[in-house]
Amino acid sequence: MSSDGSSNGSSNGSPTLTLDGKVVPFETGETLYEVARRHTSDVPTLCYDERLEAFGACRLCVVEIEGFRSPVASCTTHAAHGMNVQTKTEKLEKHRKTLMELVCSENPRGVEIDPMRGHASQEMTDLAQRYAVDGTRFEGAQSGQSHPDDPNPMILRDYDHCISCYRCVRVCAEQEGDYAISIANRGFQTQITTEFNGFLKGSECTFCGQCVQTCPTGALADNRALQHTREPGEVELTRSICPFCGVGCSVDIMSKGDKLVGVRPAMDGPANEGALCVKGQFGWEWVQHPERLKNPMVRKDGVLVEASWDEALDRAAEGFRRVRDTHGRHAIYGVASGRAPHESAFSVQKFIRAGFGTNQIDNCSRA
Amino acid sequence: MAHINPSGDQELIERWRDQPASLLPLLHAFHDRDGYLSDDALRAVASGLRIPIADLYGTVTFYHHFARVKGGKARPRVCDGPVCKLQGCDELIVGLDGATAMPCAGRCDGPIPVLQDDEVLIGTQPGALTAAPPLVPPPNPGGIDECVFAEVRDPRRKTLAGYRESGGYRALSRAVREMTPEQVLDVVSGSGLTGRGGASFPTALKWRAVREAGGGPKTVVCNADEGEPGCFQDRVLMDLDPHAILEGMTLAAFATGATRGFIYLRYEYPATQGVLETAIEEARAAELLGTSVLGTELTFDIHVRRGAGAYICGEETSLLNSLEGKHPFPRNRPPYPVTNGFEGTPTAVNNVETLASVPPIVDRGAEWYAGLGAGEHKGTKIISLSGDVARPGNYEVPIGIPLKTVLYDWAGGAPEGRTVQAVTMAGLSGGFLGAEDIEEATLDEPSMRARGSLLGAGGVMVFDDSRDMVEIARQAMSFFAHESCGKCFPCRIGTQRLTERLAGVAGPKEPELWKAEVEDIGRTMAAVSACGLGVAAPGITGSLMRLFPEQVDAHVNGQRK
Amino acid sequence: MSNPLRDMEKPDAIFCIGTNMTEAHPVAAMRIKKALRRGAKLIVADPRKIPLAKKADVFLQLRVGTDVALLGAMAHVIVREGLVDENFIAKRTENFAALGEHLKEFTPEWAETITGVPAKDIEQAAIWYGEAANGAIFYTLGITEHICGVDNVQSLCNLVLLTGHIGREGTGINPMRGQNNVQGAGDCGALPNNYPGFQPVTDPANQAKFREAWGVEVDIEEGWTKVRALDECGKKIHAFLICGENTVVSDADRAHCEHALRSLDHMVVIDIFRTETADLADVILPATAWAETDGVFTNTERRPQRVRAAVPPPGVAKPDWWIIAQIAKRLGAPGFDYESPKEVFNELCELSPTYHGLDWDLVAEGRHHWPVPEKGHAGTPVLHIGEFPRGRGLFMTPSYRDPAETIDDDYPVWLTTGRRLAHYHTRTMTGRSVGTEYLVPEELVEVHPDDVADWGLEDGEFAVMSSRRGEVMVKVEATDKSPRGTVFCSFSFSEVPINALTGSGYDPITDTAELKVCPVRIERATTSV
């Protein structure tokens, strides 16, 4: 059996290994975790994010390989042809339970993690439930140190819940490329830090929120969404596209009833693959801002006053008719928006072209 | 605060920027100049080397010895290793103004070492600290043929001339002029030499893997980060016989095809850095290093890089990350350093003692070295013996010799009126051996592993019958907790929880529950930790519970109010 | 963009010019940073030390408006060093000989005198781009918002054609679209010269197609650009329909713009807030916003994707398409009996060759890059494989010209404008969001610290900045992001209406305003605001 991580194809081409007694194919270069996840959904992990380089910190994904003395982390072990791998022996489950007891022992107990904190915020809670762990065994000192003093209104730095999986640090470096946060000290004294342990504003942080969304405990949390914790109702997600720049990041809009309560990046968004920037992530409160226009307005005696749709639409149409009749069809000009959807721009140009017979139409791309 | 000396900053950056493995020496340059690492210094280094400032800040805080407050570097650091604890280091720390503790500083065979700026002082009383002399191994007590210690007691050995007088560089000359790299590999292979730093991996196998690996430039790294408590043999070799290490590295370079070498030296050996650098200068001047070693086509040079206080950097992949200026977490393996080492290129990482053994092996032959071992075993190993023992010190022993021979016959056993209660093996990484084991064990890995222990780097600390073994275990676990890098969960949390339980500050008050918790934590740590630290640490609690169940029960019961 | 966003991780050499990508397109910039982790070379050209410049292997800090000189010199070096792709030039281009002749005088040393960029850096940049197996160019408004915007783009095209860095994965010439659906607005035919799908309005076949589709007579001549239309307000233009644009704040030369809109007989604004522009309207019609509207956006990589309503709109706000249809119907226009956005979008797909293979349901997951010529087509992630739209790529020979206005004794400082990460355009949205407002609560003019001292300004204090068109009060920030003699401001804050100053000139072909160059004078404010 090959044990050095190289994978030699089987006689018929694609390499295979035995996973919990079943022979399964894999692609050269795949890790055991990737292979296992395709075939069984329940190899647990807390430090894994498929967008990041495998790290091997939590050790929950350990598996047994025939011929190996100790279990190995499946996320950092490459599949090799002929391996005989077990993912769920009694021994492994015992180690996983002990690991969960250890990791829960350094988290404040009895705190429900609000799912509004972030995309991955339930991962630890879910695993604690699966292994029936409540954090009372292995009691001892707590390692996290929260930063309630950081005045930024976007990212809550509730490090009391931190389990030092470094997904935030890694996503900031590997995905976002900002290197704004890092690891201070070592061992149990480890803390997630910024340069000189300062606030996020003033550091290299661009508030993209990717750390928030990859955090498996909610230690980093979306503080804008959390403002709506008490809003009644369940959170609903609606897939959409960010309204700001032209990159077209896929988002899930979070709503409770009629209330917009947050935005989350779509991990499978083709343009962004789970990323957003500060505007897309945190800049959505304008939507239900009290200053939004709620009613049509028409100018009467030089002053804009609210009106019914019928009155306003009549006024709008009448003005265009008057100008067309007085100055001709080319005296009317339409400016479509580069911000509104296609149906808006298409309608504006059709309105100008078909409604008046002129090409006096443009959009805001020249400014 | 105003910037101290921006133009000086630039000079330091220019001095190091284009050197290999530049971060550590540049940080030391600022640390030495200012007496601490200021925020401005870190900003200058980050921009000079184009390292993200948050990363640099985090990495600097990883190391124990980088001072971050003004005047911090000059404050005394007092060794609080297990043996120095026996000597009263806690009182010394209290008595010395501004003093703090440092983990074992590798002078367990004498008075307590105190690192003050770049000077090592020794003593046990605050007012009576004296300069620390290099410690010469006791005269060959067994009268058995030695390998690395054969010549070191001669003070001339330290200079190039003296080294040559006693046969130094004869092996290298012969190798580069008369032998092929393949022949050198064969000799080393035949000698049975394995890694003396603790891993016992066959040296020739490692070198051959580097030789055969694609890509380059290839690198030889001498792991001189001797951080295991109770181990101090590498310091002696470097201080007394620096050229042996340089010659060993150059032979490694010849055998592997490497062109650059580093000695990664622990922070706690400041004088040793000078000794090594002087030796390197001498060797360069004599064309023993450089672009044409001894007039041949061999190109090889060596750079000394000083660590900054982190036990984990003795783990070879942490060491490589540290050299590269990265956060010194261990790397995931495979790939191994032999193919993806320093800056991703093939690298042989060897321990000091291993490298120092190579010149005599090449000089005198594989059979000679293999024959030095006892019985079936091949070669020798230095044992650093300390603690409650009459004659502490370094002893070069035939591998496979009975432990009791060294402990009692050579080193004189426990002090008068006491008996040996336990010894640690492999520094702390092999846990404890009790009286029965001491009677039967021989100093070789098979014998040790059969007893659930390790020979490892050869540190043996002796504890007599007056010692509280739970407290000794607590100190040991506290060391592992202090040195855990924080990357993998079982080690980061497990060492902390075990320390708390040994200290009696947390955990069950019922012995059976207490033991169940400690066993569960230990079992998982040993099985799934990412590197040797987390695997080895629970050896302490495991052997404690096995050998001293009454002391454990008393400890747990004593907490009950 | 000629290439998809995911390709940004793949080039060996990346040339970013006139794009402050980490602030204006942060998620796209992420991919460039990934390429750098992989070892790609980054060349950044910008008048300012933008965040991307810090990550560059070579940073070309050119004087504002000198791109043609810089790019010509790079082309000169690529030819001189023999880094041209001769096979590509022979098979896929024309007019190479003329370019060769034209480039002779564009030596790096000459360019240094114009751009201020050291000749050796220009050479290095050209060599890295020229040598790369896969080189890719990214640009934004720093290239186009000049009187020579077209020349700038042509100069970039020359680099691409010389090296053959096009039509393959990890290459291309990639303008990054600034607004979420500005690509879509063009796709939909909101242009004076094109029907939906970039079908020229002057082509009789296209006229016939739309005459038949809509059952009306169509115009046979191109319309005017918005810039020209604003010039004609009160003269030949008397009514405006403005949909979702804060023209007064975002366009150049605010005074001119306001005056123009005030001279109209009739002005209808469809928007979500009462913007500075809406204030001038006769009728304001409240629209549903993002998160309240179903529809389609097409992103910068030509990928149509669906947006969806998650919450109800405030008051009686309605979708744009409904509002416009209501007005159209009142005017008796046929073809506005839509009952859903799906019908509108599907009509677009029917009429547009680039969307012809798509429909409302097919864009649900955003899997296609247009053109998608027929149903079942997988889309076109990479353009220009094998052939250009006109057949062979044509080398053009643009020459350097000074900006419309140059600095003089009265206006001795170059002002350049742009965006900031935390804010979007005129802050209609981001100014009403807690987080983004926290990061950048006010506008600051960025001035080099030495200039701050020389000009008698003070960091954090107010200054008066004036141009030939207007003046603004703005707080000064001393920062070496700005080179000496050049200052920077965004146009996001209505309190600092920076476009009161701009508008010195327009590109003669596209009518795009020279927002990136405006000579100004800066003096310390005598009274604070």
Side-chain angles (χ1 to χ4, degrees):
Chain A
M1 194 198 68
S2 162
S3 60
D4 62 358
S6 68
S7 15
N8 309 311
S10 63
S11 50
N12 61 1
S14 102
T16 60
L17 55 76
T18 308
L19 186 74
D20 296 329
K22 271 195 307 202
V23 176
V24 299
F26 65 90
E27 278 169 37
T28 304
E30 275 192 299
T31 63
L32 289 178
Y33 182 80
E34 288 164 334
V35 178
R37 202 178 43 164
R38 259 210 321 277
H39 295 279
T40 121
S41 59
D42 58 358
V43 175
T45 177
L46 283 172
C47 69
Y48 187 82
D49 178 326
E50 65 180 348
R51 300 166 300 163
L52 306 177
E53 286 165 27
F55 195 61
C58 76
R59 318 305 286 177
L60 283 162
C61 73
V62 286
V63 296
E64 287 171 7
I65 306 174
E66 193 177 87
F68 281 49
R69 203 155 43 96
S70 299
V72 301
S74 61
C75 67
T76 58
T77 306
H78 283 95
H81 182 64
M83 271 183 174
N84 186 0
V85 181
Q86 298 283 339
T87 69
K88 214 180 174 180
T89 64
E90 202 177 313
K91 229 191 230 173
L92 289 173
E93 286 294 285
K94 175 92 170 97
H95 287 312
R96 288 170 183 157
K97 184 175 169 77
T98 302
L99 284 169
M100 284 310 298
E101 284 169 338
L102 282 169
V103 79
C104 289
S105 75
E106 64 160 344
N107 256 274
R109 290 187 285 275
V111 178
E112 289 273 312
I113 296 296
D114 192 322
M116 310 247 295
R117 283 181 176 237
H119 174 80
S121 63
Q122 303 304 297
E123 286 186 17
M124 195 188 83
T125 309
D126 290 349
L127 278 181
Q129 225 157 43
R130 173 168 152 192
Y131 287 98
V133 168
D134 62 4
T136 51
R137 200 166 185 235
F138 305 147
E139 56 146 7
Q142 311 281 301
S143 65
Q145 283 174 27
S146 286
H147 272 271
D149 52 333
D150 192 320
N152 92 76
M154 292 167 275
I155 299 178
L156 182 70
R157 303 171 73 191
D158 194 4
Y159 294 131
D160 288 349
H161 294 288
C162 177
I163 57 171
S164 299
C165 67
Y166 312 120
R167 277 161 69 166
C168 55
V169 174
R170 292 182 288 139
V171 86
C172 189
E174 294 174 29
Q175 276 294 108
E176 178 62 19
D178 280 347
Y179 301 89
I181 50 178
S182 68
I183 305 160
N185 309 322
R186 65 190 188 206
F188 203 69
Q189 312 307 316
T190 295
Q191 301 290 328
I192 304 303
T193 190
T194 56
E195 56 188 79
F196 308 112
N197 201 22
F199 296 148
L200 287 174
K201 185 176 177 180
S203 77
E204 296 289 316
C205 176
T206 57
F207 292 89
C208 69
Q210 296 208 65
C211 54
V212 167
Q213 304 300 350
T214 193
C215 179
T217 66
L220 294 169
D222 177 347
N223 213 3
R224 297 323 306 151
L226 281 182
Q227 304 304 309
H228 301 278
T229 297
R230 295 214 189 101
E231 199 74 38
E234 290 291 298
V235 174
E236 267 187 68
L237 300 180
T238 305
R239 178 59 54 92
S240 195
I241 301 298
C242 174
F244 288 105
C245 81
V247 171
C249 299
S250 296
V251 297
D252 285 326
I253 300 170
M254 297 158 68
S255 56
K256 278 185 174 178
D258 289 350
K259 188 84 186 157
L260 176 59
V261 296
V263 166
R264 237 173 229 182
M267 293 298 151
D268 56 351
N272 55 318
E273 294 168 3
L276 285 180
C277 77
V278 60
K279 295 186 285 284
Q281 175 64 73
F282 296 112
W284 46 267
E285 282 154 320
W286 56 272
V287 175
Q288 297 190 328
H289 194 277
E291 287 166 22
R292 276 288 300 281
L293 287 169
K294 295 174 194 70
N295 291 293
M297 302 183 88
V298 296
R299 194 172 291 279
K300 282 186 183 161
D301 302 327
V303 183
L304 284 162
V305 293
E306 290 194 349
S308 70
W309 270 115
D310 270 339
E311 184 184 0
L313 291 166
D314 286 347
R315 269 284 296 274
E318 184 190 304
F320 288 123
R321 188 183 297 119
R322 188 179 66 241
V323 169
R324 179 187 63 193
D325 295 348
T326 321
H327 300 285
R329 59 197 166 108
H330 297 306
I332 293 164
Y333 201 86
V335 180
S337 181
R339 315 279 292 125
H342 283 52
E343 299 72 27
S344 169
F346 182 82
S347 298
V348 174
Q349 64 88 33
K350 184 177 177 184
F351 173 68
I352 296 293
R353 290 196 165 112
F356 302 101
T358 176
N359 286 318
Q360 299 285 47
I361 164 78
D362 205 350
N363 69 77
C364 47
S365 69
R366 280 166 238 273
Chain B
M1 194 189 67
H3 205 148
I4 300 168
N5 183 358
S7 63
D9 288 2
Q10 214 44 46
E11 275 164 36
L12 294 183
I13 289 163
E14 309 258 306
R15 159 78 182 81
W16 288 106
R17 183 165 46 204
D18 299 323
Q19 295 293 309
S22 56
L23 177 64
L24 279 171
L26 183 55
L27 286 172
H28 280 302
F30 279 90
H31 200 231
D32 293 345
R33 186 193 71 182
D34 301 339
Y36 75 118
L37 286 174
S38 67
D39 290 1
D40 284 333
L42 294 189
R43 287 201 179 90
V45 171
S47 92
L49 299 186
R50 294 182 66 174
I51 303 172
I53 182 68
D55 278 6
L56 180 63
Y57 168 76
T59 298
V60 163
T61 63
F62 187 93
Y63 295 102
H64 183 81
H65 283 294
F66 278 135
R68 291 279 294 121
V69 293
K70 206 168 185 181
K73 180 169 179 256
R75 286 190 200 151
R77 292 117 201 248
V78 179
C79 175
D80 77 341
V83 173
C84 291
K85 281 272 191 203
L86 305 179
Q87 300 193 64
C89 65
D90 292 339
E91 290 77 20
L92 187 58
I93 294 171
V94 174
L96 269 178
D97 194 27
T100 53
M102 67 175 163
C104 180
R107 293 189 71 98
C108 318
D109 49 345
I112 301 166
V114 177
L115 184 62
Q116 195 153 6
D117 237 325
D118 286 330
E119 196 181 5
V120 178
L121 305 170
I122 52 170
T124 49
Q125 300 300 322
L129 298 178
T130 56
L135 287 172
V136 179
N140 184 348
I144 297 167
D145 205 359
E146 291 175 320
C147 174
V148 290
F149 275 180
E151 306 290 343
V152 296
R153 299 176 188 86
D154 180 348
R156 287 175 304 172
R157 182 77 173 177
K158 199 167 157 177
T159 64
L160 178 57
Y163 182 70
R164 277 184 147 157
E165 256 171 59
S166 49
Y169 288 114
R170 200 160 58 203
L172 180 65
S173 317
R174 189 182 311 143
V176 298
R177 292 194 177 119
E178 298 164 24
M179 295 169 80
T180 62
E182 211 41 57
Q183 286 170 317
V184 172
L185 288 171
D186 286 345
V187 172
V188 175
S189 172
S191 75
L193 180 66
T194 61
R196 295 297 187 237
S200 296
F201 190 83
T203 305
L205 209 57
K206 184 182 278 185
W207 289 3
R208 186 162 273 129
V210 174
R211 173 157 199 84
E212 287 166 2
K218 293 176 181 174
T219 306
V220 172
V221 175
C222 170
N223 182 348
D225 194 52
E226 182 175 54
E228 184 73 38
C231 291
F232 43 91
Q233 68 269 43
D234 291 346
R235 174 173 53 77
V236 169
L237 287 173
M238 290 186 283
D239 284 347
L240 303 180
D241 205 7
H243 283 286
I245 292 140
L246 305 189
E247 187 180 2
M249 288 178 75
T250 312
L251 283 163
F254 178 70
T256 58
T259 53
R260 58 186 176 191
F262 297 100
I263 300 175
Y264 187 93
L265 177 68
R266 73 180 305 206
Y267 183 87
E268 292 82 349
Y269 296 166
T272 307
Q273 183 171 9
V275 172
L276 290 170
E277 279 172 349
T278 305
I280 289 170
E281 282 311 314
E282 283 183 310
R284 281 182 189 146
E287 292 191 355
L288 293 157
L289 290 173
T291 48
S292 170
V293 171
L294 290 166
T296 67
E297 284 180 2
L298 178 63
T299 290
F300 185 63
D301 203 358
I302 298 175
H303 311 273
V304 180
R305 293 290 177 263
R306 189 183 185 190
Y311 170 71
I312 198 64
C313 290
E315 195 282 335
E316 62 180 1
T317 60
S318 282
L319 184 157
L320 292 169
N321 277 343
S322 176
L323 266 185
E324 290 179 21
K326 294 180 181 151
H327 204 77
F329 280 160
R331 299 176 183 173
N332 295 313
R333 288 159 298 178
Y336 293 93
V338 290
T339 54
N340 296 65
F342 179 68
E343 294 179 345
T345 62
T347 301
V349 184
N350 292 110
N351 147 276
V352 172
E353 186 185 342
T354 315
L355 289 164
S357 304
V358 172
I361 289 171
V362 173
D363 188 38
R364 302 176 68 172
E367 279 172 34
W368 165 77
Y369 183 77
L372 296 179
E376 298 292 295
H377 301 287
K378 294 177 175 177
T380 65
K381 171 83 195 88
I382 306 176
I383 300 296
S384 294
L385 202 55
S386 63
D388 295 323
V389 62
R391 289 185 292 279
N394 284 309
Y395 297 88
E396 183 171 5
V397 308
I399 292 183
I401 193 176
L403 168 57
K404 63 181 180 185
T405 306
V406 180
L407 179 56
Y408 296 109
D409 303 349
W410 296 14
E416 189 127 8
R418 291 285 169 199
T419 56
V420 174
Q421 181 177 208
V423 299
T424 67
M425 292 305 301
L428 290 174
S429 293
F432 300 113
L433 292 185
E436 201 176 306
D437 295 324
I438 295 169
E439 274 308 300
E440 295 168 0
T442 51
L443 289 168
D444 55 81
E445 289 298 354
S447 170
M448 289 300 157
R449 285 184 191 277
R451 288 165 175 77
S453 183
L454 298 167
L455 181 59
V460 177
M461 292 183 278
V462 184
F463 299 96
D464 69 28
D465 54 350
S466 70
R467 306 299 181 185
D468 172 355
M469 292 313 293
V470 176
E471 166 57 16
I472 305 288
R474 182 202 65 77
Q475 291 168 22
M477 196 57 69
S478 163
F479 168 80
F480 285 125
H482 183 262
E483 298 299 336
S484 168
C485 76
K487 179 181 175 181
C488 84
F489 288 19
C491 176
R492 179 175 59 83
I493 312 170
T495 53
Q496 171 73 16
R497 292 291 177 258
L498 292 179
T499 304
E500 289 163 349
R501 274 142 191 78
L502 290 166
V505 298
K509 311 284 186 241
E510 291 291 333
E512 291 317 306
L513 285 177
W514 190 97
K515 284 186 215 170
E517 278 204 356
V518 170
E519 262 171 31
D520 280 355
I521 295 172
R523 187 187 312 111
T524 294
M525 284 174 71
V528 307
S529 289
C531 85
L533 196 164
V535 172
I540 291 289
T541 39
S543 55
L544 175 77
M545 291 190 291
R546 194 174 63 245
L547 297 168
F548 308 105
E550 309 80 17
Q551 292 191 40
V552 170
D553 288 353
H555 164 71
V556 181
N557 286 326
Q559 299 169 37
R560 215 184 292 166
K561 294 285 182 295
Chain C
M1 290 170 72
S2 67
N3 287 57
L5 288 164
R6 64 169 180 273
D7 269 21
M8 295 176 79
E9 298 172 24
K10 297 170 185 164
D12 306 297
I14 296 168
F15 181 22
C16 292
I17 180 163
T19 169
N20 183 7
M21 204 191 292
T22 59
E23 297 203 61
H25 299 90
V27 176
M30 232 178 71
R31 296 189 187 260
I32 286 195
K33 290 183 263 187
K34 280 193 200 171
L36 299 185
R37 274 172 72 83
R38 237 196 49 236
K41 287 266 185 275
L42 176 65
I43 304 154
V44 172
D46 204 283
R48 303 168 56 222
K49 207 184 282 171
I50 52 174
L52 207 55
K54 285 192 247 166
K55 300 187 185 285
D57 294 284
V58 60
F59 172 39
L60 313 171
Q61 194 166 15
L62 75 172
R63 180 170 67 70
V64 288
T66 61
D67 306 73
V68 170
L70 176 78
L71 298 171
M74 283 178 66
H76 173 101
V77 174
I78 286 170
V79 173
R80 188 189 72 196
E81 298 294 318
L83 298 172
V84 297
D85 183 339
E86 281 168 15
N87 189 35
F88 184 91
I89 291 172
K91 285 200 179 129
R92 294 199 50 188
T93 71
E94 58 191 60
N95 208 30
F96 175 61
L99 178 75
E101 198 55 41
H102 178 70
L103 287 177
K104 273 191 180 143
E105 64 194 40
F106 282 74
T107 63
E109 293 72 23
W110 166 81
E112 177 172 347
T113 65
I114 308 281
T115 62
V117 179
K120 67 169 185 16
D121 289 349
I122 299 175
E123 283 173 348
Q124 182 62 75
I127 288 168
W128 275 336
Y129 177 74
E131 276 179 348
N134 291 309
I137 293 174
F138 300 91
Y139 69 90
T140 322
L141 303 178
I143 281 293
T144 52
E145 287 182 347
H146 291 281
I147 57 161
C148 52
V150 170
D151 296 346
N152 288 345
V153 173
Q154 285 172 351
S155 303
L156 285 171
C157 290
N158 285 346
L159 294 181
V160 172
L161 296 178
L162 284 172
T163 55
H165 287 325
I166 187 87
R168 297 191 315 276
E169 203 176 61
T171 66
I173 178 157
N174 299 287
M176 313 285 299
R177 303 311 304 258
Q179 297 163 331
N180 57 317
N181 201 33
V182 71
Q183 180 70 54
D187 295 355
C188 289
L191 294 167
N193 55 340
N194 286 336
Y195 287 119
F198 305 96
Q199 303 172 86
V201 295
T202 47
D203 183 332
N206 294 333
Q207 294 161 8
K209 175 176 175 179
F210 281 86
R211 196 180 296 126
E212 190 180 334
W214 289 338
V216 294
E217 225 7 87
V218 296
D219 192 3
I220 58 166
E221 281 177 17
E222 290 185 358
W224 297 337
T225 64
K226 186 181 73 181
V227 171
R228 169 99 192 268
L230 285 168
D231 281 344
E232 296 289 344
C233 282
K235 295 172 216 159
K236 290 185 174 158
I237 297 285
H238 297 278
F240 250 63
L241 169 67
I242 300 182
C243 188
E245 183 190 73
N246 192 3
T247 318
V248 166
V249 185
S250 65
D251 284 31
D253 198 349
R254 180 169 183 161
H256 166 71
C257 187
E258 270 197 55
H259 174 79
L261 295 178
R262 283 182 196 284
S263 350
L264 294 167
D265 278 0
H266 185 57
M267 175 172 163
V268 176
V269 166
I270 302 173
D271 215 319
I272 58 172
F273 285 104
R274 191 165 159 180
T275 63
E276 291 82 351
T277 305
D279 271 341
L280 305 178
D282 297 294
V283 181
I284 308 175
L285 302 170
T288 57
W290 174 81
E292 301 160 355
T293 313
D294 287 318
V296 178
F297 291 167
T298 291
N299 76 351
T300 185
E301 56 176 346
R302 299 169 281 108
R303 184 197 293 275
Q305 309 186 94
R306 280 265 290 282
V307 288
R308 295 177 179 86
V311 289
V316 298
K318 291 284 190 184
D320 295 3
W321 62 265
W322 181 90
I323 298 171
I324 293 157
Q326 292 299 314
I327 304 172
K329 284 200 250 188
R330 278 167 169 76
L331 287 164
F336 283 90
D337 296 318
Y338 304 116
E339 292 193 350
S340 71
K342 175 177 177 172
E343 292 172 25
V344 184
F345 184 75
N346 285 348
E347 181 178 325
L348 162 67
C349 295
E350 277 298 307
L351 294 170
S352 162
T354 51
Y355 282 54
H356 205 248
L358 293 172
D359 62 33
W360 181 258
D361 296 323
L362 280 171
V363 298
E365 284 163 37
R367 289 191 313 270
H368 299 84
H369 300 262
W370 67 249
V372 188
E374 71 266 332
K375 286 266 156 62
H377 191 282
T380 315
V382 179
L383 292 179
H384 315 310
I385 298 176
E387 199 181 25
F388 294 102
R390 72 179 291 278
R392 281 171 173 261
L394 179 63
F395 284 109
M396 304 291 281
T397 54
S399 296
Y400 171 73
R401 348 178 223 139
D402 279 334
E405 287 175 9
T406 52
I407 49 172
D408 56 22
D409 289 346
D410 292 334
Y411 299 99
V413 175
W414 298 105
L415 164 70
T416 189
T417 69
R419 278 130 181 101
R420 298 186 188 281
L421 170 65
H423 282 303
Y424 190 83
H425 272 227
T426 66
R427 249 174 85 259
T428 309
M429 292 150 66
T430 49
R432 293 182 173 96
S433 300
V434 175
T436 41
E437 193 59 3
Y438 159 81
L439 287 179
V440 180
E442 61 179 350
E443 185 56 37
L444 302 166
V445 59
E446 296 176 4
V447 185
H448 192 279
D450 294 345
D451 286 342
V452 170
D454 278 8
W455 302 340
L457 306 175
E458 212 161 315
D459 192 16
E461 294 296 322
F462 276 95
V464 178
M465 182 156 65
S466 48
S467 78
R468 291 182 174 85
R469 284 154 298 280
E471 67 172 43
V472 297
M473 290 272 268
V474 58
K475 258 191 204 170
V476 172
E477 181 191 11
T479 168
D480 68 356
K481 264 197 237 169
S482 290
R484 296 220 46 188
T486 300
V487 302
F488 171 82
C489 232
S490 87
F491 59 89
S492 291
F493 285 77
S494 173
E495 298 84 342
V496 183
I498 212 69
N499 283 327
L501 311 185
T502 58
S504 50
Y506 296 83
D507 185 281
I509 297 169
T510 64
D511 262 351
T512 299
E514 188 158 68
L515 291 168
K516 296 301 182 192
V517 189
C518 178
V520 293
R521 180 172 64 234
I522 304 188
E523 291 149 328
R524 190 170 181 167
T526 44
T527 53
S528 110
V529 183

